[in-house]
Amino acid sequence: MRITHVETHRVRIPAPSPAFAWRAGLEGSPGDDEGAVLHLRTDHGVEGVALLKRPGSAPQLEHAVDRLFRDELVGQDPLDREHLWHRVWEIDRIHELSLPLLGIVDVALWDLAARSANLPVWRLLGGARRKIPAYASTTTFASIEEYLDVADQCLELGYTALKLHAWGDARRDARLCEALRSHVGDDVPLMYDGSAGFDLPDAIHIGRVMSANGYLWFEEPMREFSIHAYRQLQRVVDVPLLVAETSDGAHMNTADFIAAGTATFGVRTDTVLKGGITGSMRIAHLADAFRLRVEVHGSDAPNRHLCMAIPNTTYYESLVTNAAVERERHVDAEGFVHAPESVGIGLPADLEYPAELAQFVGA
């Protein structure tokens, strides 16, 4: 079997409604934008597709395919995923691809392989479970009172754990962490994501508050450029740290965070930011060797497959963007996400999918 065609197709990504915010300094929810589907065809009639939906991603993918990927892929055996994964990283050495572009070819190749085997991707990866609990991962709301109301709605809808994204003000965010613990009691697992908003002194302040309030993990408090800063934070706070979400280098860079002792809860993995499914699974196995957790970032279709294939992950991340909470369609009334049943990853290969696309992107 050989790859014969490498194509891109632009697709509309509708703006979230209502719009939502992140912490101070970060752009909020995007408006209407265009993503792109990478479509691989073979001489055996088997196809593979992957969606890149980050804002501005359509022209990036088109450029990468026309300049780099098509020449590299046409004529190759699509089942040689290891070889092709390394080839993409060789291309990156000169062209400095964005993190999402480093994984898009690999996701399409896994989709193709699973279609060839007539299996969902998570089954092709080996399969670790058939359902996983989801936590409610907030966007940023206006007040502590609004957060507490959102928390009540999430728990009533079946979510059993909550993660905060807040304002990026260490003192104000710390008060929110205290208020939420007092409000929901000691039995609800709570997490907090700093979205890389702090320097070391502020990360220490809020980390100590989370330590005192029994938070399950403290995620990405600082930009992930200084492992030394993370080592210093780990030495002075008791709350477990979840690290290496946006650092470049997939498992290679993640290994340095682990070796430095900073991953006291675990590390992040994600098909978009960690070199596709192959890079994500490398990170999962690396973390498992050190008896650490690996938490899957984000709530799109490829990451649902990861959750079902990785034994040392705890939750599926389900984003809550509206103060009038609606449970994500993939989460059941008891707070579980179930393994996908469709072949491949789930995006139709015929590219006639306005309704199906919404399902694929987690809408």
Side-chain angles (χ1 to χ4, degrees), residues 120-140:
V121 165
W122 67 272
R123 291 290 305 277
L124 192 65
L125 289 167
R129 59 171 61 83
R130 283 168 170 73
K131 67 177 182 178
I132 191 169
Y135 67 83
S137 180
T138 75
T139 50
T140 302

Side-chain angles (χ1 to χ4, degrees), residues 1 22 49 65 90 132 179 188 190 208 262 268 270 280 282 285 288 326:
M1 182 163 55
W22 295 114
V49 290
V65 166
E90 285 286 275
I132 191 169
V188 177
L190 299 178
R208 285 175 169 163
T262 65
R268 275 297 213 182
D270 175 11
S280 295
R282 276 170 160 71
H285 297 319
D288 187 49
E326 295 182 7

